[in-house]
Amino acid sequence: MLPKEIKDRLEAEIRHVEHPRELAVDVMFAVQEHYGYLSDAALAEAAALLGMTPLELDELATFYTFTFREPVGKYVIHVCDSVVCWMNGYASVRDYLCRRLSIGMGETTADGLFTLLPVCCIGYCDRSPAMLVNRRVHGELTPEKIDGILAKLRREAESGAERPKVQGVDAITG
Amino acid sequence: MTLANYPQVLFQNRRPDRIATLEEYRASGGYQALAEVVGRRSPREVQELVLDAALLGRGGAAFPAGRKMMTIAADAPFPRYLVCNADEMEPGTFKDRVLIHADPHMLIEGIAITAWAVRAEKAAIFIRPEYENAARILEREIRIAAAAGYLGRAILGSDFSLEIVVHRSAGRYICGEVTAQLNALMGQRPNPKQPPPYATEKGLWDQPTLAHNVETLACLPHIVRNGAEWFKKLALTPTGAGTKIFGVSGKVKRPGCYELPIGVPLSEIIEEYAGGMLEGSEFKACLPGGASTGFLPRQHYHVEMDFDALKKVGNRLGTGAIMVFDHKTCLVAATLNLMEFFARESCGWCTPCREGLPYIRDLLARIEAGEGEPEFVPMLEEMKTHLFRSYCAFAPGAAAPLESLLAHFKEEIQKHIREKSCPFKKEPEPGVAGLAKPRFIA
Amino acid sequence: MPKLTIDDREIEVAGGTKVIEAAARLGIMIPRFCYHPALGSVGACRVCAVKVLEGPVKGVQMSCMLDAADGMQVSTTDREAVEFRRYVIEWLMMNHPHDCPVCDEGGHCLLQDMTVSGGHGIRRFPGKKRTYPDQDLGPLVQHEMNRCIHCYRCTRFYQQFCGYRDLGALSIGNRTYFGRVASGRLESPFSGNLSDICPTGVFTDKPSRYFGRRWDYQRTPTICINCSLGCHAVTSVRYRQVARQEARMSAAVNGWFLCDRGRYGFFYASLPGRPRQAAVKGETTTMDEAIAHARSRLETLPPDAIAVNGSARSSLEVLAMTERAARLKGWRGPAFFADAGAAHNVKTAIARLEEGLAVSLGEIGQADFILVVGADPINEAPMLALALRQAVQKGAGILVLDPRPVCLPFGFMHVPTAPEALGAVLGRLVKKSIGPAGLDGPAARFYASLPDEPATGQEVLARAAGLLAASRRPVIVCGTGIVASALVGLAADAALLLTAAQKKAGLFYILPEANSFASGLLAPPESTTDRILKAVVDGDVKALVFVENDPFATSPDRELLERALAKVELLVVLDYLDTPVSRRAHVFLPTQTLYESGGIFINQEGRAQYSAAAFAGGAPILETGGSDHPPRVYGTGLPGADPQPAGQIMAQLAGEPMASEIGARPEYFGGSTVSELAELPDVEAFPEEGQRLSPKNLPADRFKSVLPPSSAAESDELEIILTERTFGSEDLSSYSACLETREDEPLAGLHRRDAESLGIREGDGIAIRTGNTTLEFAVRVYDNMASGVMVVPRLQRLPWQGLGKRVRRQDIRKA
Ligand SMILES: Cc1cc2nc3c(=O)[nH]c(=O)nc-3n(C[C@H](O)[C@H](O)[C@H](O)COP(=O)(O)O)c2cc1C
Ligand code: SF4
Ligand code: FES
């Protein structure tokens, strides 16, 4: 069950709009943020809030890239594999990450910390090769930079910090 | 950046590492245009102005913005909606992100003016999930604009009201296609929908809906403030109008976004602004306007970056996202990568796109892996043609790079097949097991 | 009317016709997968490509998306179009498993046909095939996703057309999956149509799985008799076994589809336990001997000590012969209805369905406002709900006046109204929606007699009245199951009044059973089963003949029935079902089902339709051969073929005067007291869409109905409303094992107020004592039903017969 404050907030937002369905993605994101992914139960809960059937919401959840219907790690690393990153070393970034995390693409580390996925162009071609960690972008990747990012995330996880939320307006450069 | 030659319009307030505030935007003349039109100039007048300015949509399809606005009839039913397309999922494209981060109020004012021009009282900015920063910036600045009286009820004392909401997508390229986007906004599966009816007649919730790209909308305040003639004269070519944000990436020294007049030569963009090719790289080809334009070969290196000029050489200006490939890059592999992208992102509605693209991808992968057969080439040629018979413009977009590969680089394909290997691979691709040393930015 | 040429042949079509349809009119079948006349054009599959040589858009175009235009020149054989279509098929076959040998669609598969005719013979795609896991969708529909060609027909049918929301398109691109969130029974009562609508073998008919190819089957056009609508079906028989039923297109009745009750309601015909041999006192014997025995016993009794009961599940032929036998012999009956109320409602409906007022199911979809009174469409006549939905999709408003918690697959207005108040609300609504202007004579007087006090707090009614006022083609749908008899006539008068107010108003009744219309035409006014049973108990009747009637399933008074059966001296039962009463028969005479005899059924709008015999009868080979075919024992007769049409048996029971009529079909009706029947055509010449019967004369009681007094006083009783359910109530379909899991839980419905006053909560068990029986139910609490009533599902497996019509509140206890 969703905590009351999340549920109340979502219900209030839904009440505010004319067609609850238009908030489908927002509600899925919020529920996913809480549970880590959209389990069948989470999907049903989200659907009920929206007045949709689980199937109707699943038609969307399975369509989109950033809604997860299977468990993912605490940190989801999306490596951009589209054409600019590809020509600027995507394969090496991918291989480096696979090696450092000892997992293949599409897998989650045994400690549940990291999931590695490929993703289409994320709109940071000027800073390729690039990747996202929980939708926060990291560009101009080098082995050192990747090591630094992974180390920081591990420290963050160890310190028991809250599950990281999607990035805020701290990095504002375009 | 040496931009002194050309006026900065959309980027007039762009500063490194900072977002222009409302005050800064106002100091540069911001929101004057809104004050000029709301309650003063009739929607029809604004539409005609945009038509006169010959503003073509910057989202890729290059449809005349004024004409689209005019398809919302004066007696069209209310409510009417405006959608700002900030999905920017076209590979290679990142100009909308830069624009929003540089000067969010320019977009907000553009939306408000356009909303006035069609009397839409609700606007949605549809934004891709990777741009969470931009989404939050916009939400914040929308609140600020509303507090300043530029949005909300009775804007600037008129009887016009406008609410802007930021709608986050959950990520799929097809969501950038405007009919699919409307479905996405309504919480439906984002499959496109072929007209009729057109969105301007029956769009969101079956109400008249106008959709424009971020950059298109950002032009509006300037056109209103400076006039159609001024806007047209910004371009270097007689048929062009305005400036264009070119996002350059790939094998150049200074990838990034540059606002330049429509019609500026490609060679100038690459050499003057993008810092030239990387050390040891030679220009081989570029995709001049995003992943759904064709490879522009070396012989057009000096082409004027203008809608008409690119059409003349069988290409498109698209989104103005220039991806530069050098002589060491295998274009079969590059096309394979693009097909991988399109096959993955196809919405799955129509057969040519859903099944044809994976088929093409498979053939290209075989060719690239040295397992190509000569008969693959005519098959690719036929299927490329058939991609244009798909339901929406997605598959024709996917066909563009393939078409140009076949037109300009067929010998490169043939070589793969003849030699049974990729002529560009000097060392084996590092295995997934990661035994080889990582090879970054080659 | 644009005139165009397709393949050099000219055709003129109505504006808005798509090229694909225009070509069909010329007999040119342009390939299609996603296009379906009922679902419309979506341009997804791209296989209907043609080349437009002249026209507003030129080049290769999708003929399903293209409006025919004047002067257009279209080629379906142009090389470019043919080449493109060939590619479309090649693409669709890239991932197809090529499992035709084990696919039930094989032989009638659109994809097979197109692959062959499209010229895609050789596989070129060198890659791997995509594969999907399948889901268990319940007992009716088999799922095999690998065969999918992504035409989206299933989800468009399931969601858009039917309004159900548990099956759809999942994932994206060439991974798109059609199914549910997880395995589980499909919720839609129209799910079986998926097997018809899917152009390949993704959804196939599960109960008939692996039983035969289409060409193996004897396929016969039939009429569904699982409710009063009379939808058109095709029945498939193999090895003397009725194995499958599909929808048959009928513009006037069911359109393209069937409900699951109808599609899967046939299993009674080939049940292993079906009684096929005559029996006297439990001992099997030949038909002739059993008939002779029954006849001789009957002849020892005075005619009015013999009473005959029939039922509305019999064909017109059987009903007519039964009626004729009884009339000629002076026997009591035949009773075709359980009690006077049921008989009266049906007879009134028949009398009031005057020409010009009666609308067909097909016409319901064209209405712009529909008032549903005392009816629960999805449960009483499922396909009606689908027709209503089509009207809603086109913008019609729907108001339901009914005490039950009616649930329909679309948005509608519902005013939960106690049964006795239905008339008043209907009258007030109609009055409010039209003015007195332009009315005169009886219409004006009737108008004036209607109540017009405003309903307090009923803004829904006000809204509905507004929509009715604005409508031009309103229809009143009236149930006959739970309503007081006055309402049936009132609905007709209300429709007449709307007509008088210059609307093209329609009237549509739901009748209780498949041949209720014929039963109502033929039943003598005074004869009802309850009266006959009383006469047995009183000693006036000594012999009972039941013709395809199981009183245990139909009689509301179980106690009376038991007393009568205990007392009766001779019990003759003619049936094709193994029922409690057939098991107790002194003489049992097996009859043929509709699939064996063929026969006429008259649906609720008076449409007489002929259902052809689907096979010659006999027991299924799998049964007689012990699944060992061919049989090892040889004989000249057909095993299990003793059953005869019940009408023939009745003629023989009646003896000489009728024996000559056996088999001479027109005479069945020639001597009938019902003149309408005499005009029915020969079965060989029966029109495809049937023949409408309507009253010869204008009904005498036009504009004469009187509102029943409303007993608004709060009583200490709850009225019991026995209500039909889509599955589990109707007699024949309750023999279908595959439908068992579709049945609802036997829950008693109570309005929240009543539940609270009784201290009952959702899910509580209650025990109801009436007479000397006690029944137990779990309770479901509703806000959207009338108060003062208790809704109990009339399920076959529930002994509802003990319940009576009312229950005192103090007789309801928590169990
Ligand atoms: C597959 C596909 C993806 C598209 N993606 C985008 C996009 O991300 N952003 C955008 O502005 N337009 C995109 N478009 C173009 C839009 O459909 C539409 O033409 C545009 O948003 C209209 O705005 P404009 O007239 O201002 O250019 C896309 C089109 C297609 C066919
Ligand atoms: S071309 Fe077809 S499958 Fe591809 S995105 Fe458009 S509609 Fe979807
Ligand atoms: S039938 Fe026309 S596109 Fe499928």
Side-chain angles (χ1 to χ4, degrees):
Chain A
M1 286 280 281
L2 284 173
K4 190 171 168 344
E5 65 269 25
I6 297 183
K7 202 169 164 195
D8 287 351
R9 173 170 61 83
L10 293 176
E11 274 170 350
E13 281 173 24
I14 289 166
R15 265 196 307 279
H16 183 71
V17 298
E18 222 174 310
H19 314 275
R21 277 187 91 122
E22 66 189 69
L23 294 180
V25 168
D26 295 316
V27 171
M28 282 194 289
F29 275 164
V31 172
Q32 175 166 288
E33 188 76 37
H34 175 72
Y35 289 106
Y37 79 108
L38 290 169
S39 64
D40 286 356
L43 182 83
E45 220 176 332
L49 285 171
L50 291 159
M52 295 166 78
T53 65
L55 177 273
E56 286 171 329
L57 194 59
D58 209 12
E59 289 191 309
L60 307 181
T62 54
F63 190 98
Y64 289 115
T65 308
F66 288 92
T67 40
F68 308 126
R69 288 286 278 120
E70 282 174 43
V72 289
K74 187 164 179 165
Y75 301 102
V76 179
I77 303 179
H78 275 109
V79 193
C80 176
D81 67 356
S82 287
V83 66
V84 178
C85 287
W86 163 82
M87 82 170 115
N88 283 341
Y90 153 75
S92 312
V93 172
R94 174 197 65 197
D95 294 346
Y96 190 74
L97 278 164
C98 287
R99 213 168 58 192
R100 297 313 299 232
L101 299 172
S102 305
I103 52 173
M105 292 302 275
E107 292 176 1
T108 301
T109 52
D111 57 8
L113 271 192
F114 299 101
T115 296
L116 212 46
L117 292 167
V119 73
C120 294
C121 178
I122 53 176
Y124 285 87
C125 316
D126 50 343
R127 290 199 254 145
S128 77
M131 67 181 194
L132 301 168
V133 179
N134 289 4
R135 276 159 68 198
R136 177 199 299 258
V137 67
H138 300 271
E140 283 146 14
L141 295 170
T142 60
E144 299 72 38
K145 217 164 168 180
I146 291 177
D147 285 341
I149 293 165
L150 295 181
K152 183 164 166 264
L153 295 174
R154 285 210 169 92
R155 275 198 308 278
E156 186 181 291
E158 263 163 37
S159 73
E162 264 279 280
R163 224 186 70 80
K165 304 287 183 233
V166 168
Q167 61 180 344
V169 191
D170 47 354
I172 48 167
T173 46
Chain B
M1 283 182 258
T2 46
L3 297 169
N5 301 349
Y6 300 118
Q8 294 297 285
V9 178
L10 304 176
F11 278 171
Q12 61 188 10
N13 297 319
R14 186 186 186 197
R15 303 284 176 275
D17 290 351
R18 79 175 264 107
I19 306 163
T21 61
L22 173 64
E23 286 63 41
E24 286 163 347
Y25 181 60
R26 264 201 302 229
S28 70
Y31 289 112
Q32 285 174 9
L34 183 65
E36 231 174 89
V37 295
V38 169
R40 295 173 174 221
R41 288 214 228 165
S42 74
R44 181 78 195 177
E45 267 175 87
V46 181
Q47 294 173 1
E48 272 164 8
L49 177 67
V50 177
L51 189 71
D52 289 345
L55 171 64
L56 302 186
R58 304 299 199 230
F63 192 82
R67 243 171 63 205
K68 186 150 62 177
M69 289 177 192
M70 284 173 163
T71 53
I72 297 195
D75 59 353
F78 290 95
R80 304 168 183 178
Y81 297 104
L82 174 65
V83 172
C84 166
N85 191 343
D87 199 47
E88 193 157 71
M89 290 269 308
E90 174 92 1
T93 313
F94 47 96
K95 63 185 179 74
D96 297 343
R97 183 196 91 221
V98 173
L99 185 55
I100 293 168
H101 281 258
D103 205 354
H105 285 281
M106 192 184 291
L107 174 60
I108 293 169
E109 188 186 6
I111 290 174
I113 293 170
T114 311
W116 166 258
V118 294
R119 290 299 217 147
E121 302 219 321
K122 191 154 182 188
I125 302 176
F126 187 96
I127 194 160
R128 63 182 303 179
E130 294 89 335
Y131 289 179
E132 179 62 24
N133 268 355
R136 292 189 190 188
I137 291 168
L138 283 170
E139 280 171 339
R140 188 183 66 199
E141 301 304 320
I142 285 167
R143 275 195 302 275
I144 292 171
Y150 300 124
L151 297 174
R153 309 230 125 264
I155 292 171
L156 299 174
S158 70
D159 65 347
F160 180 59
S161 305
L162 174 66
E163 185 196 352
I164 306 181
V165 297
V166 176
H167 181 105
R168 285 163 180 77
S169 174
R172 277 303 174 191
Y173 174 50
I174 190 62
C175 294
E177 198 283 335
V178 57
T179 59
Q181 186 162 98
L182 299 185
N183 277 331
L185 278 165
M186 294 188 286
Q188 306 288 348
R189 270 173 76 83
N191 293 119
K193 190 166 172 321
Q194 215 172 66
Y198 285 90
T200 45
E201 191 191 319
K202 276 180 178 216
L204 284 178
W205 324 111
D206 279 346
Q207 296 298 124
T209 304
L210 180 72
H212 275 301
N213 172 254
V214 168
E215 189 185 346
T216 316
L217 292 167
C219 291
L220 263 284
H222 306 289
I223 293 174
V224 169
R225 206 134 42 93
N226 303 309
E229 279 315 304
W230 168 87
F231 188 76
K232 279 200 277 200
K233 291 226 177 77
L234 285 174
L236 300 182
T237 44
T239 52
T243 62
K244 176 84 197 74
I245 304 178
F246 294 99
V248 191
S249 61
K251 302 297 185 187
V252 292
K253 287 205 184 100
R254 270 205 313 267
C257 269
Y258 306 98
E259 183 184 15
L260 298 166
I262 290 266
V264 65
L266 172 65
S267 49
E268 186 181 333
I269 299 178
I270 292 177
E271 285 161 20
E272 294 281 314
Y273 306 102
M277 298 295 292
L278 283 177
E279 227 42 73
S281 282
E282 281 167 37
F283 179 93
K284 177 179 183 181
C286 76
L287 292 168
S292 48
T293 57
F295 291 105
L296 191 79
R298 170 96 219 159
Q299 76 241 41
H300 301 307
Y301 184 54
H302 298 290
V303 70
E304 292 164 334
M305 292 297 278
D306 161 278
F307 294 99
D308 278 355
L310 275 162
K311 204 185 281 168
K312 276 202 200 98
V313 299
N315 216 312
R316 291 192 310 121
L317 184 60
T319 61
I322 303 168
M323 289 170 272
V324 181
F325 301 87
D326 69 357
H327 67 294
K328 289 179 282 183
T329 307
C330 171
L331 290 189
V332 174
T335 310
L336 169 60
N337 176 281
L338 290 163
M339 292 304 127
E340 182 74 44
F341 164 79
F342 286 114
R344 193 195 289 168
E345 294 295 295
S346 162
C347 83
W349 180 252
C350 72
T351 313
C353 178
R354 184 188 62 245
E355 311 291 350
L357 289 172
Y359 201 144
I360 291 168
R361 173 191 56 194
D362 186 275
L363 296 183
L364 284 175
R366 280 163 206 279
I367 294 171
E368 174 64 12
E371 295 160 14
E373 302 286 343
E375 64 263 29
F376 287 2
V377 179
M379 282 166 76
L380 286 172
E381 257 159 1
E382 286 164 21
M383 282 198 266
K384 167 271 300 170
T385 307
H386 293 318
L387 286 181
F388 288 93
R389 297 175 175 144
S390 60
Y391 183 79
C392 81
F394 180 112
L402 176 63
E403 187 174 41
S404 60
L405 180 78
L406 288 158
H408 303 299
F409 300 95
K410 196 184 266 174
E411 174 48 27
E412 201 168 311
I413 308 176
Q414 306 285 22
K415 202 161 178 216
H416 279 77
I417 297 174
R418 268 197 319 273
E419 295 177 1
K420 297 200 185 306
S421 74
C422 173
F424 293 88
K425 287 240 166 67
K426 281 151 210 91
E427 48 192 295
E429 171 87 17
V432 178
L435 297 171
K437 198 172 158 17
R439 166 179 56 100
F440 281 35
I441 308 181
Chain C
M1 295 273 285
K3 203 184 268 176
L4 67 163
T5 15
I6 305 176
D7 292 346
D8 299 325
R9 289 161 64 196
E10 203 167 77
I11 179 141
E12 195 170 342
V13 291
T17 306
K18 301 289 179 202
V19 170
I20 198 170
E21 281 298 335
R25 295 258 310 275
L26 284 169
I28 301 169
M29 172 78 172
I30 298 177
R32 77 279 308 274
F33 288 120
C34 63
Y35 175 76
H36 185 287
L39 307 180
S41 311
V42 293
C45 76
R46 318 305 280 177
V47 84
C48 66
V50 295
K51 175 99 157 254
V52 180
L53 307 170
E54 257 345 299
V57 281
K58 288 196 192 146
V60 174
Q61 299 292 334
M62 301 309 128
S63 60
C64 74
M65 299 291 279
L66 195 61
D67 282 333
D70 212 33
M72 202 180 229
Q73 271 183 45
V74 176
S75 164
T76 70
T77 55
D78 176 88
R79 203 193 56 79
E80 230 183 310
V82 170
E83 206 26 41
F84 176 61
R85 294 202 301 258
R86 200 195 58 68
Y87 257 106
V88 170
I89 291 159
E90 177 173 1
W91 285 326
L92 293 174
M93 292 301 287
M94 273 166 71
N95 294 296
H96 191 82
H98 294 86
D99 59 344
C100 310
V102 293
C103 174
D104 268 315
E105 193 78 2
H108 61 284
C109 173
L110 200 59
L111 181 61
Q112 255 181 350
D113 294 351
M114 294 302 140
T115 306
V116 174
S117 66
H120 170 63
I122 293 169
R123 183 176 180 77
R124 297 192 294 179
F125 178 60
K128 285 188 177 169
K129 289 180 188 180
R130 160 206 63 215
T131 57
Y132 293 110
D134 298 322
Q135 291 180 331
D136 182 345
L137 301 178
L140 306 182
V141 178
Q142 180 70 33
H143 195 218
E144 291 274 355
M145 248 315 279
N146 287 341
R147 297 174 184 150
C148 181
I149 56 164
H150 299 82
C151 67
Y152 289 76
R153 270 193 194 180
C154 54
T155 167
R156 286 155 58 213
F157 166 74
Y158 201 90
Q159 295 192 13
Q160 271 103 299
F161 197 87
C162 296
Y164 288 80
R165 303 158 70 189
D166 62 311
L167 176 127
L170 298 160
S171 197
I172 181 176
N174 72 338
R175 289 89 70 207
T176 304
Y177 185 89
F178 297 91
R180 293 165 40 90
V181 172
S183 276
R185 204 193 69 196
L186 292 168
E187 284 165 18
S188 165
F190 306 103
S191 67
N193 294 298
L194 289 172
S195 321
D196 291 358
I197 202 102
C198 173
T200 168
V202 177
F203 299 100
T204 52
D205 191 80
K206 200 168 197 174
S208 69
R209 202 161 188 236
Y210 297 147
F211 196 71
R213 293 269 176 238
R214 176 161 284 191
W215 60 76
D216 295 326
Y217 287 120
Q218 292 162 265
R219 286 164 54 78
T220 310
T222 53
I223 300 296
C224 170
I225 57 167
N226 297 103
C227 86
S228 65
L229 296 179
C231 295
H232 293 210
V234 175
T235 301
S236 287
V237 175
R238 188 183 194 199
Y239 297 145
R240 299 199 295 263
Q241 184 166 331
V242 184
R244 186 195 295 182
Q245 221 150 236
E246 287 146 274
R248 179 163 57 100
M249 160 61 188
S250 156
V253 187
N254 51 303
W256 290 86
F257 305 111
L258 272 187
C259 77
D260 288 352
R261 186 207 278 181
R263 180 178 295 263
Y264 299 105
F266 61 81
F267 284 88
Y268 66 90
S270 305
L271 272 193
R274 179 179 152 188
R276 293 176 186 276
Q277 276 200 292
V280 174
K281 298 194 191 98
E283 297 289 321
T284 56
T285 175
T286 64
M287 238 5 217
D288 288 346
E289 268 173 39
I291 291 172
H293 179 85
R295 203 169 119 188
S296 65
R297 288 282 310 271
L298 288 171
E299 272 163 8
T300 63
L301 293 167
D304 80 334
I306 300 168
V308 183
N309 299 275
S311 86
R313 70 167 144 93
S314 291
S315 67
L316 176 60
E317 290 84 340
V318 170
L319 294 170
M321 201 67 120
T322 304
E323 187 269 342
R324 193 159 152 77
R327 185 155 38 83
L328 283 177
K329 302 296 285 187
W331 297 334
R332 292 190 190 211
F336 293 144
F337 295 95
D339 53 37
H344 183 88
N345 283 5
V346 171
K347 279 181 175 287
T348 309
I350 293 173
R352 299 305 304 267
L353 272 175
E354 63 185 78
E355 218 164 340
L357 218 49
V359 289
S360 68
L361 186 59
E363 286 164 322
I364 290 270
Q366 311 303 322
D368 57 3
F369 182 84
I370 301 167
L371 186 54
V372 179
V373 206
D376 181 1
I378 199 77
N379 286 306
E380 295 176 335
M383 285 299 289
L384 171 61
L386 219 47
L388 292 173
R389 181 172 163 88
Q390 304 326 305
V392 170
Q393 301 270 76
K394 291 187 201 129
I398 297 206
L399 171 69
V400 176
L401 300 177
D402 195 276
R404 292 165 285 188
V406 173
C407 186
L408 290 167
F410 48 80
F412 63 102
M413 296 168 274
H414 180 196
V415 178
T417 312
E420 64 277 358
L422 286 171
V425 179
L426 169 66
R428 194 188 300 138
L429 180 79
V430 171
K431 182 164 195 177
K432 188 164 177 179
S433 71
I434 61 170
L439 302 178
D440 49 25
R445 280 195 296 280
F446 177 67
Y447 179 88
S449 79
L450 295 174
D452 54 5
E453 83 276 19
T456 45
Q458 292 276 39
E459 54 187 287
V460 182
L461 278 179
R463 193 149 55 91
L467 289 175
L468 178 54
S471 75
R472 303 179 58 214
R473 298 179 311 280
V475 168
I476 297 181
V477 170
C478 179
T480 51
I482 64 156
V483 302
S485 35
L487 188 76
V488 182
L490 187 71
D493 282 339
L496 282 175
L497 194 59
L498 293 172
T499 309
Q502 307 306 316
K503 295 182 189 295
K504 176 85 196 64
L507 179 63
F508 188 96
Y509 289 113
I510 303 176
L511 298 184
E513 282 180 83
N515 225 352
S516 290
F517 196 103
S519 308
L521 278 178
L522 287 160
E526 305 303 308
S527 290
T528 53
T529 303
D530 60 348
R531 282 186 176 213
I532 286 176
L533 294 177
K534 270 192 210 95
V536 178
V537 173
D538 293 345
D540 298 335
V541 167
K542 310 269 187 240
L544 279 175
V545 182
F546 283 101
V547 186
E548 299 178 341
N549 176 338
D550 171 16
F552 285 89
T554 53
S555 287
D557 193 339
R558 179 61 60 85
E559 220 181 297
L560 175 66
L561 174 65
E562 288 287 2
R563 286 203 348 247
L565 290 185
K567 187 156 181 188
V568 76
E569 289 170 22
L570 175 65
L571 180 62
V572 180
V573 176
L574 290 69
D575 212 341
Y576 48 80
L577 295 176
D578 179 21
T579 69
V581 77
S582 66
R583 265 170 260 143
R584 288 163 74 157
H586 303 136
V587 181
F588 175 75
L589 300 162
T591 64
Q592 290 186 346
T593 66
L594 184 64
Y595 299 113
E596 294 136 50
S597 63
I600 295 166
F601 277 73
I602 309 179
N603 80 355
Q604 37 60 245
E605 57 150 332
R607 187 179 297 270
Q609 308 190 102
Y610 179 65
S611 186
F615 71 121
I621 288 173
L622 292 184
E623 192 182 325
T624 58
S627 68
D628 192 15
H629 180 69
R632 299 284 170 255
V633 182
Y634 295 93
T636 51
L638 211 53
D642 283 1
Q644 292 177 13
Q648 279 186 28
I649 302 177
M650 284 311 288
Q652 294 172 73
L653 286 180
E656 281 319 311
M658 281 183 67
S660 65
E661 296 180 5
I662 292 173
R665 203 173 287 270
E667 279 73 29
Y668 276 37
F669 317 119
S672 169
T673 46
V674 183
S675 54
E676 287 89 344
L677 296 179
E679 287 167 19
L680 286 178
D682 268 11
V683 294
E684 288 76 24
F686 228 83
E688 179 93 341
E689 296 281 22
Q691 176 165 321
R692 269 276 288 284
L693 306 180
S694 35
K696 282 269 158 298
N697 310 307
L698 279 190
D701 43 0
R702 288 177 116 225
F703 287 127
K704 296 222 177 97
S705 51
V706 181
L707 283 182
S710 183
S711 54
E714 181 74 10
S715 82
D716 71 333
E717 289 182 328
L718 290 179
E719 182 175 350
I720 289 180
I721 298 183
L722 276 168
T723 181
E724 189 172 350
R725 306 301 300 170
T726 312
F727 301 104
S729 293
E730 190 267 331
D731 208 3
L732 296 176
S733 59
S734 63
Y735 285 80
S736 300
C738 61
L739 293 180
E740 259 165 34
T741 59
R742 302 295 323 257
E743 287 182 24
D744 295 331
E745 285 303 305
L747 299 174
L750 282 177
H751 190 273
R752 185 168 306 282
R753 263 200 306 283
D754 293 322
E756 273 164 13
S757 79
L758 290 163
I760 294 168
R761 273 184 300 168
E762 174 100 15
D764 281 353
I766 52 164
I768 303 172
R769 198 160 48 81
T770 59
N772 49 15
T773 49
T774 302
L775 284 173
E776 291 192 8
F777 301 94
V779 168
R780 178 118 191 242
V781 178
Y782 292 94
D783 292 310
N784 63 334
M785 64 176 275
S787 54
V789 301
M790 180 195 288
V791 175
V792 176
R794 189 168 53 71
L795 296 172
Q796 295 283 340
R797 64 188 160 101
L798 203 71
W800 52 267
Q801 288 86 346
L803 266 180
K805 290 199 174 354
R806 303 186 157 264
V807 58
R808 290 187 308 172
R809 287 176 193 256
Q810 69 255 37
D811 290 335
I812 303 174
R813 281 178 298 100
K814 264 211 227 182

